[in-house]
Amino acid sequence: MSEAKREARGAAPSRGATTGHRYSPAWRRLTIVILRPLLFGLLKRDWRGRGNVPGKGGVIIAANHISESDPLALAHFVYEAGRYPVYLAKSTLFDVRFIGGVLRGTGQIPVYRDRADAALALEDAEKALLDGECLMFYPEGSCTRDPELWPMTGQTGVARMALTTGAKVVPVASWGAHELMPYKKGEQRGLAGSLKKGFHPLPRKTMKVIAGPPVDLSAYEGRPLSRETLRAATDDIMSAITALLGELRGEEPPAERYDHHRVLEERRGAAAPPAVPEPAPPAGSESGGRRAAEPKAADS
């Protein structure tokens, strides 16, 4: 692939042994050659708003997450909009033979969980943005647990990244991947509970994807990155994603987003056995007799 074509996809040139974001143009070419025709053949498309994805420069794509298959659908949408997608992926995937090679070769970023070096993922993501990459984020942190598959409350990593680097956040909503492959850990009620688990390629599913204009985060620029600031910016990002999903579904989103952490705490509280009060000591016992005798001694 020529340097001009690489720049047209919004990616920095291959950097060899420098400290910038690194990838192999050959690996990226290979994924395009294999996956692009496969996705065209496997899925039907209803795409809207591709013009809202900037043609170059570092940008954050913030999307809802309804299925383990929607990363490919989103990647296809973003590539056809002129960018090569870079995901933050679980570090364990980088240890899998061949898959790890593909992820490293195409410049995907490992995320370490429950480890002291988890901050390295954010540092690598910042480098990638400064190098002009298109970063794909799921602010919810996992597939939605909302029974009706609406977006949950978001985590603050996307807002922090945007306010730290100044990168634009383009909200994206997708719909249809849940019919291709429902999330195996989804709720067993509502729309999620009605879906048959497994992979269902036939009949061909339509992937609906819509990108909106960048989220206006100017109100938070220059503020300290406090919990309140990050939460407010995150809520603005999630509201934009949710509104787009409502447009795709032709439905009114719920007034309040599903809070998975709060639901888990409520379920744990409901499952915990009630506290059993200590029984009072029987009359005539040593402790009980002493208490009974003490007032009499005071009266004498």
Side-chain angles (χ1 to χ4, degrees):
M1 183 183 292
S2 69
E3 200 74 6
K5 287 184 178 179
R6 267 203 302 277
E7 292 176 353
R9 291 295 175 185
S14 180
R15 294 181 175 270
T18 68
T19 57
H21 182 66
R22 299 174 61 187
Y23 65 87
S24 164
W27 270 114
R28 288 194 172 183
R29 278 200 303 271
L30 180 62
T31 59
I32 293 166
V33 168
I34 294 175
L35 292 177
R36 190 166 179 256
L38 177 64
L39 291 171
F40 269 124
L42 178 65
L43 305 171
K44 294 186 286 186
R45 292 158 301 286
D46 178 358
W47 289 348
R48 312 173 200 175
R50 279 185 288 170
N52 287 316
V53 179
K56 60 182 179 179
V59 63
I60 295 171
I61 302 295
N64 65 314
H65 201 3
I66 57 176
S67 164
E68 291 160 317
S69 65
D70 61 36
L72 284 176
L74 287 171
H76 193 194
F77 173 85
V78 167
Y79 180 79
E80 298 301 330
R83 305 303 298 268
Y84 192 93
V86 174
Y87 282 91
L88 277 72
K90 294 179 181 179
S91 60
T92 52
L93 293 175
F94 288 75
D95 297 327
V96 180
R97 182 175 295 183
F98 182 72
I99 293 178
V102 173
L103 294 175
R104 282 187 291 271
T106 56
Q108 310 306 308
I109 299 172
V111 176
Y112 301 91
R113 296 185 177 181
D114 301 324
R115 287 177 55 176
D117 58 356
L120 291 176
L122 295 181
E123 292 179 10
D124 290 342
E126 285 187 18
K127 291 178 183 177
L129 284 173
L130 294 174
D131 282 347
E133 294 281 16
C134 177
L135 290 193
M136 312 289 287
F137 276 88
Y138 288 116
E140 297 164 271
S142 67
C143 286
T144 183
R145 302 313 204 272
D146 184 288
E148 301 302 326
L149 303 184
W150 291 101
M152 302 186 292
T153 54
Q155 300 181 18
T156 58
V158 173
R160 180 183 294 276
M161 183 69 57
L163 295 175
T164 299
T165 64
K168 294 181 179 179
V169 178
V170 174
V172 173
S174 71
W175 190 244
H178 61 294
E179 297 176 348
L180 178 68
M181 189 167 70
Y183 182 49
K184 58 186 176 183
K185 296 181 182 178
E187 287 287 331
Q188 300 304 306
R189 55 197 175 97
L191 175 59
S194 69
L195 300 172
K196 184 180 178 181
K197 300 298 185 284
F199 182 57
H200 310 286
L202 297 175
R204 290 172 68 207
K205 306 301 186 292
T206 299
M207 296 295 110
K208 296 183 178 181
V209 186
I210 182 172
V215 181
D216 183 5
L217 299 178
S218 59
Y220 310 106
E221 292 175 359
R223 289 193 193 180
L225 298 182
S226 64
R227 178 181 177 84
E228 291 73 21
T229 296
L230 293 174
R231 175 48 54 195
T234 300
D235 287 343
D236 286 354
I237 293 169
M238 294 308 302
S239 293
I241 297 171
T242 303
L244 290 171
L245 184 58
E247 183 177 339
L248 280 185
R249 296 175 59 166
E251 301 175 27
E252 188 69 25
E256 184 177 353
R257 276 186 288 279
Y258 186 88
D259 189 331
H260 183 50
H261 298 289
R262 185 180 67 191
V263 171
L264 286 178
E265 290 175 2
E266 291 174 351
R267 288 177 179 175
R268 291 191 190 105
V276 179
E278 291 187 19
S285 68
E286 182 179 350
S287 59
R290 185 179 294 117
R291 288 196 198 93
E294 285 171 357
K296 293 181 179 179
D299 289 341
S300 60

